[in-house]
Amino acid sequence: MAERDLAQPVRAPTRDTRAPPHDSARLHVSGAASYADDGTEPPGMLHLAFGQSTQAHAAISAIDLSAVRAAPGVVAVYTAADIPGANDVSPVAHDDRLLADGEVLCVGQAVFLVAATSRTAARKAARLGRIDYEPRPALLTITDARAAESLIEPTQRMARGDAAAALATAPHTLSGGFDLGGQDHFYLEGQVAVATPGEDGQIHLLSSTQHPSEVQHLVAHMLGLSSADVTVEVRRMGGAFGGKETQAALFAAAAALVAAKTGRPAKFCCDRDDDMAMTGKRHDFRIDYDVGFDAEGHILALQLRLASRCGATVDLSPAINDRAMFHADNCYWLPAVEIVSERLKTHTVSATAFRGFGGPQGMIAIERVLDAVARALGRDPLDVRIANLYGPGRDVTPYGMTVADNIAPDIVARLRQTARYDMRRAAVDAFNAANTVLKKGIALTPVKFGISFTSTHLNQAGALVLVYADGSIQINHGGTEMGQGLYVKVAQIVADVFAVPLSQVRITATRTDKVPNTSATAASSGADLNGMAAYHAAMTIRDRLTAFLARSCGCAAAAVAFTPDGVVAGGKRISFGQACRKAHIGRISLAATGYYATPDIAYDRAAHHGRPFYYFAYGAAVAEVAIDTLTGEHKVLAVDILHDVGRSLNPAIDLGQIEGGFLQGQGWLTTEELVFDDAGRLLTHSPATYKIPTASDRPRRFAIDLWDGENVEPTIHRSKAVGEPPFMLAISVFSALTAAVAATAPDRRTLPPLDAPATPEAILRAIAGHVAAGPA
C-alpha cells in the first residue's frame, strides 16, 4: 500500500466532528443491550460454582465430595484430575491453576468445580465439600513478605547518576514514606462466561473478557485442542478496568471444561461476593523515599523504594511494577535518581491489571515527595512542582527516553490561570485561619502518562472490514468494548474513509475467528491500534473502488472523490451504494483485512532502558477539598481539569472517560478500602462493606476542558489515548486532603502521616499524628 499521511483525516474539510453518542447508548438506557448473561438459555444448560479454599496457605491432605455429588440438581463435580490438558489459566508464568492441585495459596482459590441445573443449586452444593488441610505458614502483608524475602521475581533497579552521593551533598534532605491501598475493579457486570459445545469437539465461548485471544489459547491448552477449535466472542462488557484482562480466563476455562466433558452448554455467572473474594485487585504499595533538594525546591537526588503486594502468583505483576517505575518521574526532571522495586509474593489473591497498570502508584510517590519538599521549605507546592518540570536540556527520563512533546508546563500554566488557583489558595488559607473544626485544602497536580504496551510485541492489531453491495459496511477488530466507546470511535474512522454516515456502519462482536492473535484491550491503546488497523483495511477497499471507478469512467484515479453527497468519478456523481453495486458486478473484492504495529518503540528490560512508549498523554487537575477534623469526613468541593487527548476522535466520549477516570481515581484514594483479616480472608467483599464513589461524591463544581493540541506522532488522526491517564488526575484530591490535614498544625514543616485511602479513620489518624509531632 502506498505511503500516506496517516496524521490527517482522508477528507479533512468534511470530517464529522459532531461527537456522535456511544454506539450502544440507546440500548444501555433502554435495557436492551445484550451481555453474556442475557442470552436465552437452551435446554440442558448447566450452571457452575467453585468450591473454594478456606485457607491462605495449606497442603490438601484429603477431599470428600460425596455430599456435593449427592446434592439436589448436581450433574457433575470436577477436580484437577479431570482436566485433560494444562491446568493453567495464567497469562505468562504458568502458575495460576484452574483448580488447586495438592495445595492452596490463598483464601478463595478454586479447589473443585460444580455443575448443576441451576445457579442456586451449584452454589449450595459447592459449600458441602469437605477438604482436609495441613496448614502452612502464610505471608499476608508486605511486611511479612519482606521479612521472609518472598518475591515473585528479583528486585528491580532503575537508576541515573549517583543518587547516594548527590544526597550526601544536597543542601536539604528528607526521608518519608506512606502506605497505599489496593482497589477492587467493581465492574457492574461480574465475571461471566457461557460455553457451547460444537461439532467435532469444538467450543464456542461468550466471555466477558478484555483478552479474547488469551482466553482462546488457554482454553485450547486446557482441553488439549488447537486454537482453531475454540472461538471466543465478546460483544460488550459491563465494565472491566483491567479486571477482565487475565481474570476472565478462570471462569471461561471452567465453563469450557464442563461443556467439553458433558456435551451440554455451561454458564458460569459468578456471584458478586465470590467475584470480589476470588479475583485480583490493584496492587497495594509501601512507598519510602530519601530526597535531596535546594532552597528553591529543585530535586537534586532521590532514592525511591517501591514495594508491592503481588499475591500468590505472578499474573502481570512484573509489567505492572515496571510501569510504576516508569511513572515515578511523572512530569519531573530527576538528575540523580535510584528507583528500587520489590515485587512481593504473599498468600493473598493475586493482584492484577487495573486502570493505570501501576502508573498511579509510581506517580503518587513523586507527588508525595514534592508535597514534602514544599512543606519543608514553606513554599506553595505548585511552585515546587513547576520548578521541577521537564524542560530544555533536562528532558530525558530515568529510563533514557527523551520527552519530545513536553506540553506539561503549558497545561499547568493555563489551568493555574483558568481555575484561578492562586486566588483560591489565598481564600483557602484565609478560611483555615478563621476556622478550627473545618479545614480546606487545594492542590494542582499534573499527569504525564506513557502510551503503549511495555511488552513491545503486544503493540499490534488487526481488523476486518466488509463492504456489501448495497453500500452498508460491517467492521470487526481485535478490540473489546467495555463501555469506553472504542467501537464507535473505530466506526467513525471507517465511515470517514468512505464519507458515509455513521449509521451506515454496523459494528460486530469481537471474535477470534474473524481477527486472530489479538492483544488485550488495555494500556489505553484500543483506539490507537484497532483504529489504525481498521483505517488500513478500509483504505484498501477504497483504493480498489477508486481504481475500478477510474477505469470504468475513463478518468484518472485522482479525479475520483468520496464525498458525503456521493462518489464523484469522471464528472458523474453516484451514491456510495451504487458504486459498491457496480464494483461487485465488476468482480472487485469489497472485503479487506488491516494490520497495524506501533513503530519506533523498543525496551531493554534487563537494563531498564529504552523507548517503551510511543508518546505521552498529559493533563492537570485542581482539586479543592474540606475535612471535618472531629469526624475525619471529607468533601471534594470543586475540580477543574485540563486534559490532553490530542485531536479528539470523539470529544463526547473523551469527556466521559475523563470524568469517569477521575472519579474512579478519587475512590481509590479516598473511600475504597480493602480489608483482610489475620487469616487472609477479604472482609470487604460486597457493596455493603466496600464503598465506591457515588453521585454524592462527585464535586458540585466539575469543569473539564480539552487541551487544544494534537499528537506530534502520526497516530490515527493525531489523536491520543484517554482510557487511563485521567485516573491519575485524582492524585490532586489526595494532595489537597494532605494539605487540609496539614492545616490543623500550620506551623509544622513536616508532612502529615496520611495513608491512602484517606478514609475518615485515616484522616483522624493523620491529624492526631500531625498535631502530636511536636515543634516544627
Side-chain angles (χ1 to χ4, degrees):
M1 185 172 65
E3 292 294 323
R4 299 187 181 87
D5 180 8
L6 300 179
Q8 298 301 324
V10 176
R11 49 180 186 88
T14 57
R15 181 164 174 257
D16 182 4
T17 57
R18 293 171 297 167
H22 193 289
D23 59 284
S24 297
R26 177 180 56 82
L27 302 178
H28 288 156
V29 298
S30 66
S34 180
Y35 294 85
D37 189 35
D38 290 332
T40 301
E41 295 182 1
M45 171 77 82
L46 296 176
H47 298 265
L48 314 182
F50 284 127
Q52 302 172 39
S53 166
T54 59
Q55 303 292 309
H57 188 205
I60 299 174
S61 57
I63 301 179
D64 182 357
L65 302 179
S66 56
V68 181
R69 293 187 172 92
V74 171
V75 173
V77 182
Y78 301 106
T79 66
D82 298 304
I83 297 171
N87 183 10
D88 176 29
V89 290
S90 66
V92 178
H94 309 295
D95 60 344
D96 281 298
R97 302 284 171 254
L98 169 55
L99 297 172
D101 189 2
E103 70 171 343
V104 292
L105 299 175
C106 66
V107 173
Q109 183 176 355
V111 179
F112 61 90
L113 174 63
V114 181
T117 54
S118 73
R119 184 167 175 247
T120 299
R123 295 191 68 231
K124 285 184 175 181
R127 298 173 183 173
L128 301 177
R130 177 179 171 180
I131 306 172
D132 295 334
Y133 297 103
E134 296 176 3
R136 295 173 175 174
L139 306 173
L140 302 178
T141 67
I142 287 175
T143 301
D144 293 341
R146 266 182 160 171
E149 298 183 348
S150 175
L151 301 169
I152 63 156
E153 69 169 344
T155 296
Q156 302 293 303
R157 179 179 180 271
M158 179 186 294
R160 172 170 54 205
D162 188 339
L167 271 171
T169 59
H172 304 277
T173 60
L174 275 177
S175 297
F178 67 109
D179 293 317
L180 183 60
Q183 186 179 22
D184 188 86
H185 302 85
F186 215 93
Y187 24 65
L188 291 182
E189 177 204 29
Q191 298 283 356
V192 58
V194 181
T196 304
E199 64 181 20
D200 201 22
Q202 297 178 57
I203 294 288
H204 176 273
L205 273 163
L206 286 175
S207 176
S208 186
T209 176
Q210 295 171 245
H211 203 341
S213 287
E214 183 170 87
V215 169
Q216 175 195 27
H217 299 154
L218 288 171
V219 167
H221 292 154
M222 185 267 298
L223 294 177
L225 301 173
S226 71
S227 292
D229 292 321
V230 179
T231 297
V232 178
E233 178 178 350
V234 188
R235 174 55 185 92
R236 59 174 61 84
M237 288 167 275
F241 313 114
K244 296 175 181 176
E245 183 172 349
T246 65
Q247 304 294 287
L250 174 68
F251 305 95
L257 176 65
V258 172
K261 287 281 189 178
T262 65
R264 295 166 61 171
K267 177 190 286 188
F268 204 135
C269 185
C270 193
D271 174 79
R272 175 67 68 178
D273 290 74
D274 291 342
D275 190 323
M276 292 185 72
M278 297 183 74
T279 61
K281 321 295 178 197
R282 182 184 295 281
H283 292 66
D284 49 336
F285 271 55
R286 172 65 194 179
I287 297 169
D288 294 283
Y289 60 85
D290 295 287
V291 60
F293 52 98
D294 64 18
E296 285 73 44
H298 296 108
I299 292 181
L300 305 177
L302 176 64
Q303 289 182 325
L304 186 64
R305 297 173 295 283
L306 308 175
S308 76
R309 179 167 63 173
C310 298
T313 62
V314 173
D315 197 81
L316 297 174
S317 288
I320 291 166
N321 284 272
D322 284 357
R323 192 174 278 262
M325 297 171 75
F326 289 135
H327 289 84
D329 64 329
N330 194 13
C331 296
Y332 310 112
W333 164 247
L334 304 174
V337 58
E338 179 185 52
I339 304 166
V340 175
S341 171
E342 296 176 86
R343 293 95 192 271
L344 298 163
K345 179 181 174 68
T346 56
H347 296 106
T348 51
V349 64
S350 290
T352 191
F354 202 128
R355 197 175 198 165
F357 205 76
Q361 292 97 314
M363 202 174 291
I364 198 172
I366 189 63
E367 296 299 338
R368 180 64 165 248
V369 168
L370 291 172
D371 281 336
V373 169
R375 189 77 186 169
L377 295 173
R379 296 172 64 91
D380 185 334
L382 178 56
D383 292 335
V384 172
R385 287 183 165 91
I386 291 172
N388 285 284
L389 291 173
Y390 281 114
R394 31 185 284 150
D395 56 0
V396 179
T397 68
Y399 47 91
M401 179 174 171
T402 300
V403 184
D405 178 23
N406 182 25
I407 59 175
D410 296 331
I411 288 178
V412 168
R414 184 184 297 181
L415 185 62
R416 182 175 196 165
Q417 179 183 17
T418 58
R420 300 173 295 115
Y421 170 84
D422 294 289
M423 184 185 74
R424 290 166 62 188
R425 177 173 167 82
V428 164
D429 290 342
F431 178 91
N432 290 337
N435 291 272
T436 56
V437 173
L438 299 181
K439 295 293 183 182
K440 288 185 177 182
I442 189 170
L444 190 160
T445 61
V447 164
K448 173 182 68 66
F449 191 76
I451 304 299
S452 292
F453 288 97
T454 52
S455 296
T456 305
H457 76 279
L458 296 176
N459 295 285
Q460 58 179 307
L464 172 65
V465 174
L466 308 176
V467 177
Y468 294 92
D470 65 351
S472 61
I473 302 166
Q474 190 179 97
I475 59 173
N476 192 274
H477 52 80
T480 58
E481 177 62 56
M482 60 196 90
Q484 82 278 35
L486 171 63
Y487 274 17
V488 72
K489 284 186 173 181
V490 177
Q492 286 177 258
I493 291 165
V494 172
D496 187 57
V497 168
F498 298 110
V500 299
L502 184 60
S503 58
Q504 210 161 312
V505 180
R506 173 62 67 184
I507 300 166
T508 62
T510 304
R511 289 179 59 111
T512 57
D513 58 356
K514 286 190 174 181
V515 177
N517 307 319
T518 59
S519 299
T521 304
S524 303
S525 62
D528 282 4
L529 296 176
N530 296 286
M532 194 68 88
Y535 173 87
H536 287 163
M539 285 302 298
T540 296
I541 298 172
R542 205 184 97 152
D543 287 347
R544 292 175 191 159
L545 285 169
T546 297
F548 168 75
L549 292 171
R551 291 195 306 270
S552 301
C553 299
C555 65
V560 178
F562 291 76
T563 77
D565 298 320
V567 183
V568 177
K572 297 180 180 179
R573 186 184 303 273
I574 58 176
S575 70
F576 180 70
Q578 289 172 318
C580 293
R581 178 66 67 184
K582 287 178 177 290
H584 174 63
I585 293 172
R587 298 190 297 177
I588 301 300
S589 172
L590 297 179
T593 59
Y595 178 78
Y596 176 71
T598 308
D600 303 325
I601 52 174
Y603 186 66
D604 180 353
R605 186 172 188 259
H608 286 300
H609 192 273
R611 184 187 179 184
F613 306 119
Y614 192 34
Y615 63 88
F616 295 106
Y618 296 87
V622 174
E624 185 175 345
V625 305
I627 64 170
D628 185 325
T629 61
L630 301 180
T631 67
E633 295 172 288
H634 81 271
K635 184 77 174 176
V636 180
L637 303 174
V639 170
D640 295 81
I641 291 172
L642 180 59
H643 196 70
D644 162 41
V645 295
R647 191 169 183 265
S648 177
L649 294 172
N650 187 314
I653 294 293
D654 288 347
L655 288 168
Q657 285 290 287
I658 294 166
E659 181 172 354
F662 181 92
L663 285 170
Q664 191 174 46
Q666 178 182 320
W668 168 52
L669 293 172
T670 59
T671 65
E672 298 185 45
E673 185 176 24
L674 294 169
V675 180
F676 291 84
D677 68 13
D678 292 339
R681 292 186 295 263
L682 179 67
L683 302 181
T684 50
H685 55 75
S686 77
T689 52
Y690 186 82
K691 186 185 184 317
I692 64 170
T694 64
S696 62
D697 296 301
R698 183 187 188 276
R700 179 168 295 180
R701 170 183 167 79
F702 201 166
I704 304 174
D705 289 315
L706 299 181
W707 177 252
D708 52 353
E710 60 179 37
N711 202 335
V712 296
E713 300 294 346
T715 53
I716 186 70
H717 301 328
R718 298 281 182 178
S719 61
K720 284 190 178 183
V722 71
E724 293 170 295
F727 184 95
M728 284 146 285
L729 295 171
I731 294 172
S732 61
V733 172
F734 190 73
S735 286
L737 288 170
T738 303
V741 173
T744 60
D747 295 332
R748 300 273 187 274
R749 287 297 183 92
T750 57
L751 211 59
L754 182 63
D755 295 322
T759 61
E761 296 87 349
I763 288 175
L764 287 177
R765 287 194 297 268
I767 291 172
H770 188 55
V771 171

